[in-house]
Amino acid sequence: MTLSCIAASVRIGAKILLAESTVHLHPGRVTAIIGPNGAGKSTLLSLLGGQRRPTKGKVMLDDRPLEAYPPATLALRRALMPQESAVAFDFNAQEIVALGRFPHRLKASLDEDQIISGAMALTDVSPLAPRILNTLSGGEKARVHMARALAQLWHPRPDNATRWLLLDEPTAALDIAHQHAAMRLLRDWSAKGVGVVAVLHDLNLALRYADDVVVVRSGTAAIQGAAASVLQPELIECVWGTSCQAVAGRDGAVQYLFG
Ligand SMILES: Nc1ncnc2c1ncn2[C@@H]1O[C@H](COP(=O)(O)OP(=O)(O)OP(=O)(O)O)[C@@H](O)[C@H]1O
């Protein structure tokens, strides 16, 4: 019941986007993929989601190569929230969230409308339902796309197959309250058994909400482990080249000051 990348590399022409990377992800946990700009985080996420195939190595879901799954089956198991959030057509927000239900159309649930409105309520976009997506702000668009991904994975699979939520910088455009709300939501979904994998730049969000982190550095997944043990000031200073000081919040949670 894992999603794994094994010695996976991605190369385009002479450029190596990701080299020899091995990660093992577990359902029921929040894993943050972190690392500097251009390190290869989105590339790793796109491998795990099956949007891209490795040029070397393999990606396995439950001990089966990802490419062995028909796309329609994969779409019932994993949902993706990409970094780029504009769409080519003038869909409104509710129609975008409804797209998340497309993989279920052959065995539609009796409560399709409630699923769509429930997902929109979870990400606080219900009032935006009739608005054209491309007219929304960056943060509003991101929350609509998160609702679409949640709608796609709404019910447990009848065979209890694990579901995976893969998100590329889901909090990047969100205000501070929505950032924390989104991370709490991802934790809630992981508590239901969903595997949550999110590329994050905010190390404090990773520290507070992620169970595990994968540190991608210079084109390779260099370190994987429990967030609290990996995210130490010395490692942050070494990987990001910025000074890092630990402070304790009112609730005792450790957070970092940078620079
Ligand atoms: N199609 C492509 N052709 C050539 N190089 C590419 C291509 N796509 C990405 N790259 C390069 O591969 C490297 C890894 O890109 P990737 O998007 O995975 O980084 P990232 O860690 O997600 O970065 P960021 O934090 O800036 O989003 C970068 O140097 C990027 O410029």
Side-chain angles (χ1 to χ4, degrees):
M1 300 238 294
T2 56
L3 176 60
S4 302
C5 235
I6 298 162
S9 303
V10 175
R11 180 190 180 124
I12 297 182
K15 169 83 179 168
I16 294 173
L17 279 62
L18 196 73
E20 292 282 322
S21 290
T22 296
V23 297
H24 298 287
L25 305 169
H26 302 281
R29 297 182 77 77
V30 175
T31 302
I33 300 179
I34 57 175
N37 284 142
K41 303 178 296 298
S42 297
T43 304
L44 175 61
L45 194 78
S46 67
L47 284 185
L48 293 164
Q51 293 153 293
R52 203 191 269 281
R53 283 191 187 183
T55 37
K56 262 174 56 188
K58 54 190 178 179
V59 181
M60 306 288 287
L61 175 60
D62 297 345
D63 302 324
R64 214 175 140 198
L66 207 57
E67 68 260 26
Y69 289 82
T73 306
L74 209 50
L76 300 170
R77 298 282 308 273
R78 65 97 178 85
L80 312 165
M81 177 181 165
Q83 217 177 96
E84 178 50 54
S85 59
V87 295
F89 300 102
D90 275 349
F91 287 121
N92 68 32
Q94 184 168 334
E95 288 165 336
I96 293 291
V97 178
L99 287 177
R101 299 303 301 164
F102 187 73
H104 303 270
R105 68 197 177 284
L106 297 178
K107 272 194 184 171
S109 167
L110 293 174
D111 52 358
E112 291 294 320
D113 290 346
Q114 288 95 313
I115 293 172
I116 293 162
S117 57
M120 295 186 82
L122 284 180
T123 66
D124 192 24
V125 291
S126 307
L128 305 176
R131 295 271 311 276
I132 299 297
L133 186 90
N134 291 336
T135 69
L136 300 181
S137 74
E140 289 168 340
K141 273 189 225 156
R143 287 187 280 123
V144 170
H145 280 294
M146 189 179 286
R148 177 186 49 71
L150 297 179
Q152 188 175 337
L153 297 184
W154 195 257
H155 288 306
R157 300 298 309 142
D159 57 0
N160 275 330
T162 50
R163 293 168 290 159
W164 294 88
L165 195 48
L166 307 175
L167 313 105
D168 200 345
E169 299 192 28
T171 56
L174 304 188
D175 64 62
I176 197 80
H178 281 113
Q179 285 178 24
H180 285 272
M183 294 307 299
R184 283 194 296 271
L185 184 57
L186 296 180
R187 281 215 68 79
D188 290 346
W189 277 61
S190 75
K192 296 186 211 175
V194 174
V196 175
V197 186
V199 173
L200 294 178
H201 275 297
D202 186 325
L203 301 183
N204 280 321
L205 285 183
L207 186 64
R208 186 177 273 259
Y209 294 104
D211 298 295
D212 303 311
V213 294
V214 174
V215 181
V216 183
R217 187 183 191 194
S218 307
T220 191
I223 304 166
Q224 176 170 13
S229 55
V230 172
L231 279 174
Q232 292 294 322
E234 300 74 29
L235 175 113
I236 292 169
E237 289 178 359
C238 171
V239 173
W240 281 266
T242 184
S243 69
C244 171
Q245 183 194 342
V247 291
R250 271 201 304 261
D251 60 358
V254 171
Q255 295 277 271
Y256 293 130
L257 299 175
F258 301 107

